[in-house]
Amino acid sequence: QYVDEDCIRRLYDEIATAKTVLYLGDNAGESVFDKLLIENFPGDTKVCYAVKESPIINDVTRKEAMQIKMEDVAEVISNGADFPGTVISECSEEFVELFNGADVVISKGQGNFETLSSNSRKIYFLFQVKCGVIAENYGYNLGDWKVIDEVVSHCCSNCR
């Protein structure tokens, strides 16, 4: 259950100097913890919290974000899609523009990792390894908690 403390430090430092942070929400229940984390971001960065356009699996939507008053700590926006993870080609133009222009992108959840890990922009991934294929392909253990910002450097020789 190793978490890269250097990566956490890099993330903290980048948030402290960022003008805009895009935080991709995941599980509706975990959005409470997302809010607590965002409340403790350093500096006075503008944070946009991205939710799904409509219910998909158990992902957070605007409804759940508003129930916990996420708008008190972040601007709540929809990614414009209702797919598991974040499929950029299916997201709204507004979301894609923000995704490409944000100083820092934080991606929560394994579904977002699966759909964004090959994206060329720098993304901080926060997730728990829940899938044997992901564990095997990246050299992780099931149940590991991950905070990573360089997917390729963590990739094992089997998936290169």
Side-chain angles (χ1 to χ4, degrees):
Q1 301 241 352
Y2 170 76
V3 175
D4 185 342
E5 291 182 24
D6 290 334
C7 186
I8 293 172
R9 199 169 303 111
R10 285 192 302 275
L11 174 57
Y12 184 89
D13 291 345
E14 286 190 37
I15 292 169
T17 60
K19 291 181 183 169
T20 306
V21 172
L22 174 59
Y23 192 111
L24 308 180
D26 180 37
N27 179 289
E30 292 174 9
S31 63
V32 173
F33 299 107
D34 297 341
K35 183 180 178 190
L36 291 171
L37 181 60
I38 293 168
E39 285 176 338
N40 289 285
F41 280 0
D44 58 353
T45 301
K46 176 184 179 182
V47 178
C48 296
Y49 186 76
V51 299
K52 296 294 190 282
E53 180 67 19
S54 59
I56 182 74
I57 308 176
N58 62 355
D59 288 352
V60 63
T61 65
R62 183 175 301 278
K63 176 184 173 187
E64 291 88 16
M66 294 304 168
Q67 287 175 335
I68 64 162
K69 300 190 183 302
M70 181 64 79
E71 71 275 12
D72 290 351
V73 298
E75 178 184 347
V76 178
I77 64 159
S78 170
N79 72 3
D82 55 3
F83 287 89
T86 300
V87 180
I88 295 295
S89 63
E90 299 297 327
C91 292
S92 71
E93 187 176 312
E94 174 191 20
F95 174 83
V96 172
E97 187 175 305
L98 180 58
F99 178 83
N100 290 328
D103 296 310
V104 177
V105 173
I106 299 171
S107 169
K108 270 286 296 312
Q110 185 177 290
N112 282 330
F113 175 77
E114 290 176 35
T115 55
L116 292 171
S117 62
S118 63
N119 192 284
S120 61
R121 83 149 293 149
K122 182 176 185 177
I123 301 171
Y124 284 91
F125 293 98
L126 286 65
F127 67 101
Q128 183 179 27
V129 180
K130 299 177 182 176
C131 167
V133 173
I134 295 293
E136 184 177 328
N137 283 342
Y138 290 92
Y140 301 148
N141 295 308
L142 282 175
D144 280 357
W145 287 95
K146 293 293 176 186
V147 178
I148 59 175
D149 63 348
E150 297 178 21
V151 175
V152 174
S153 70
H154 292 281
C155 190
C156 63
S157 60
N158 293 339
C159 61
R160 288 190 184 149

